[in-house]
């Protein structure tokens, strides 16, 4: 019988490509990862990895086994959920990762809604950008993540997860008020010589800004990097920068800053769970509360 935890290590090696990255993800040493891979090879009766320079790569047998991991995990999650569904109701801790831009609009109302409907359920909110929330979710350190995706970037859904759309959040251009007439005449192209405020890389918010500007015929000169794009509006207010950011972050622009909603679809706020956990009482209660929230500020 194959050990599921060792299959997860193999899957993560297929995704991240480096033993050190897998070791960091699982909070173990690289030698422990190698030992688990050798043990999995003994269980499978096949060579799963081979040397590739100073690293490892999966053999065809290893790639096939890694691809089978997520369906196996989803089946186990559903089995565990069937057992928990026999409980009297959702109780215990529920660990929720939340993108910073959704803390006030989604996470706080979720905590209030669960307290009213399910007093035995104790939500624990952790601020986490999508890039950080996904490994925490897949590593079972989160039960649910409030995250977002940009459909126009075409990124595929994360394997082993199920996304529940919550609402659309349009994109807005923040620019100095003095540049509004030029923008009204030439669109984004009027800002080709501006400095831009962006989230640090790697970030889907940064990718979307670059994507929007290139569609307008230029590559933005990113002069300022801010993890908090709402705070970055103060750089726009100096009259020397521009930014593209979600509407949820534009509720109180500083004086001298104009905010214009951009045409087209922006980002989608969504709840992300491990595939197979949707029917667990605690997760199902959180999903029901999230989809029922009267979201404001859009």
């Amino acid at each position: 019988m194959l050990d599921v935890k060792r299959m997860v290590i193999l899957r993560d090696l297929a995704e991240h490509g480096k033993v050190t990255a897998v070791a960091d993800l699982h909070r173990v040493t690289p030698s422990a990862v190698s030992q688990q891979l050798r043990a999995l090879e003994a269980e499978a009766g096949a060579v799963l990895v081979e040397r590739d320079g100073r690293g490892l790569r999966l053999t065809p047998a290893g790639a096939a086994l890694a691809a089978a991991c997520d369906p196996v995990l989803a089946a186990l999650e559903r089995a565990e959920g069937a057992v928990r569904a026999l409980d009297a109701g959702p109780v215990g801790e529920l660990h929720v990762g939340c993108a910073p831009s959704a803390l006030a609009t989604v996470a706080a109302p979720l905590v209030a809604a669960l307290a009213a409907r399910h007093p035995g359920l104790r939500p624990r909110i952790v601020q986490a950008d999508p890039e950080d929330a996904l490994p925490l979710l897949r590593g079972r350190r989160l039960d649910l993540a409030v995250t977002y995706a940009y459909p126009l970037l075409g990124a595929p859904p994360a394997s082993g997860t199920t996304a529940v759309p919550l609402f659309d959040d349009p994109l807005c251009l923040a620019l100095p008020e003095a540049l509004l007439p030029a923008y009204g005449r030439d669109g984004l192209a009027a800002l080709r010589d501006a400095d831009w405020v962006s989230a640090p890389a790697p970030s889907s918010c940064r990718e979307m800004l670059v994507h929007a500007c290139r569609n307008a015929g230029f590559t933005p000169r990113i002069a300022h990097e801010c993890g908090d794009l709402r705070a970055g509006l103060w750089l726009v207010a100096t009259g020397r920068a521009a930014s593209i950011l979600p509407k949820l972050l534009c509720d109180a622009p500083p004086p001298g800053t104009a905010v214009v909603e951009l045409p087209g679809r922006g980002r989608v706020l969504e709840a992300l769970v491990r595939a197979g956990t949707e029917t667990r009482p605690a997760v199902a209660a959180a999903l029901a509360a999230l989809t029922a929230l009267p979201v404001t500020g859009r």
Side-chain angles (χ1 to χ4, degrees), residues 44-263:
V47 176
L48 304 176
V49 296
E50 58 188 8
R51 284 286 171 189
D52 182 19
R54 299 180 63 182
L56 294 176
R57 66 180 176 188
L58 272 62
T59 65
L65 186 55
C69 183
D70 284 332
V72 169
L73 291 176
L76 291 174
E77 296 280 15
R78 284 191 291 270
E80 187 174 340
V83 174
R84 293 192 181 185
L86 299 175
D87 296 337
V91 295
E93 293 189 346
L94 179 77
H95 296 272
V96 178
C98 185
S101 58
L103 284 168
T105 310
V106 180
L110 171 65
V111 170
L114 291 178
R117 300 177 191 175
H118 307 287
L121 190 58
R122 301 185 301 279
R124 300 289 183 256
I125 306 299
V126 177
Q127 178 178 308
D129 286 309
E131 296 82 2
D132 301 318
L134 180 58
L136 294 175
L137 180 69
R138 295 178 68 178
R140 300 176 67 88
R141 281 177 271 170
L142 292 177
D143 301 301
L144 182 149
V146 176
T147 182
Y148 55 83
Y150 289 96
L152 290 180
L153 292 180
S159 63
T161 65
T162 298
V164 178
L166 300 178
F167 59 89
D168 286 348
D169 186 16
L171 288 176
C172 292
L173 170 69
L175 72 166
E177 288 181 343
L179 295 181
L180 264 179
Y183 171 75
R185 182 182 64 250
D186 300 325
L188 274 182
L191 302 170
R192 65 171 59 250
D193 295 324
D195 289 338
W196 288 83
V197 183
S198 170
S203 163
S204 56
C205 291
R206 186 187 185 103
E207 290 178 30
M208 178 51 68
L209 185 152
V210 172
H211 178 83
C213 290
R214 286 179 175 168
N215 278 351
F218 68 96
T219 297
R221 182 176 64 247
I222 297 175
H224 312 291
E225 295 185 347
C226 296
D228 181 356
L229 289 177
R230 179 183 275 116
L233 289 173
W234 288 94
L235 294 171
V236 177
T238 65
R240 298 180 179 274
S243 184
I244 293 176
L245 65 168
K247 189 174 181 180
L248 280 181
L249 298 178
C250 299
D251 52 335
T257 301
V259 174
V260 180
E261 187 171 323
L262 294 174

